[in-house]
Amino acid sequence: MQYVEGRSLSQILRAGLPSEDRVIHFLRGVCGALAAAHAEGVVHRDLKPANIMVTDADKVIVLDFGIATATGVGQLTRPGEAMGSVPYVPPEVWEGGAATAMGDQYALGVTGFVCMTRELPYSGKSPLEVLDAIRSTTATIRSRVAAVDAALEAIILKSMARRAEDRYPSIADFDEALRQLAERRGFVTRPPTGSSVVKTPTSVVPVMVPKAPTRVPIALPPLEPAVASSA
């Protein structure tokens, strides 16, 4: 078993806002790990800053594959439980849909939003309040921070679109958009990914064994389709 010294992304964010180049670095590192997992038919289902580690060598590592459907999303309707994961759950899963690679992309988009602002795009005191916020508002990064690269904001917001079909076709396409932006910014890197266990200054966090996708029934009304206004 391998141990690596590092900090979680949530710990890094508590220390302050990272630069936009650092955000790209973090997101591309996670994209690389997710692309490899998705190619093997594995969906993470519980991606969030606490499950992303950055080693002392600046290597991005994704933890806890395959636990969200079993122990996270299934607890969303129980008051006070699993609230840390709620804002990262894609709308289609709220409706009882299967956890898929597109859901991982949504969660990574929300993670990118948090990296840029240190705030959740949608929040509430209960899961239903979070869902209501997703349905009724459109979060933007520029409304939370004074200056932001418009292209980076557009990439992040596309990845966390309400409808899965409005996101990037795959996590690899998300990564490619980030790569092209990094190239235009003069910041070209392909962060290394991998590893199985990370030892933080306070704990050792094991990666869970992936589980097959399952459906999560949540009795909520469906999202209403957008209605085009007449001229």
Side-chain angles (χ1 to χ4, degrees):
M1 185 175 289
Q2 182 183 12
Y3 294 90
V4 183
E5 296 291 338
R7 294 186 297 164
S8 71
L9 184 54
S10 58
Q11 289 174 317
I12 292 172
L13 292 175
R14 282 197 292 271
L17 280 174
S19 69
E20 291 179 338
D21 285 345
R22 294 295 292 159
V23 173
I24 294 172
H25 172 80
F26 298 148
L27 294 180
R28 291 206 68 208
V30 177
C31 281
L34 290 179
H38 294 170
E40 297 298 323
V42 177
V43 178
H44 190 284
R45 308 183 185 99
D46 193 28
L47 194 67
K48 55 189 175 184
N51 286 340
I52 299 168
M53 303 297 294
V54 181
T55 73
D56 292 346
D58 215 24
K59 185 177 184 179
V60 180
I61 299 174
V62 179
L63 306 175
D64 293 346
F65 272 89
I67 67 170
T69 299
T71 63
V73 178
Q75 296 176 352
L76 293 179
T77 56
R78 302 176 189 173
E81 293 187 17
M83 281 300 294
S85 296
V86 168
Y88 300 88
V89 176
E92 60 268 23
V93 172
W94 286 98
E95 296 182 302
T100 67
M102 299 302 287
D104 280 352
Q105 183 184 150
Y106 178 90
L108 183 55
V110 174
T111 297
F113 190 104
V114 173
C115 285
M116 295 289 290
T117 65
R118 291 207 298 172
E119 297 177 6
L120 290 165
Y122 307 107
S123 59
K125 295 180 180 179
S126 71
L128 288 176
E129 286 188 7
V130 175
L131 180 58
D132 183 63
I134 293 173
R135 287 173 163 172
S136 61
T137 62
T138 300
T140 64
I141 295 171
R142 64 182 63 250
S143 66
R144 315 289 182 96
V145 294
V148 61
D149 185 320
L152 179 55
E153 179 185 39
I155 290 170
I156 290 172
L157 295 184
K158 180 176 177 63
S159 69
M160 53 179 281
R162 290 188 186 94
R163 301 194 311 164
E165 56 266 37
D166 292 332
R167 299 169 202 156
Y168 289 99
S170 71
I171 203 72
D173 293 293
F174 184 13
D175 180 60
E176 176 60 18
L178 291 167
R179 186 198 67 76
Q180 292 181 16
L181 175 60
E183 189 172 57
R184 293 196 299 271
R185 291 171 62 93
F187 177 71
V188 181
T189 181
R190 187 67 177 95
T193 60
S195 190
S196 57
V197 178
V198 170
K199 182 178 181 181
T200 69
T202 58
S203 63
V204 176
V205 186
V207 173
M208 306 299 292
V209 177
K211 298 183 179 181
T214 58
R215 289 186 176 273
V216 184
I218 300 178
L220 295 173
L223 292 172
E224 295 182 0
V227 178
S229 60
S230 59

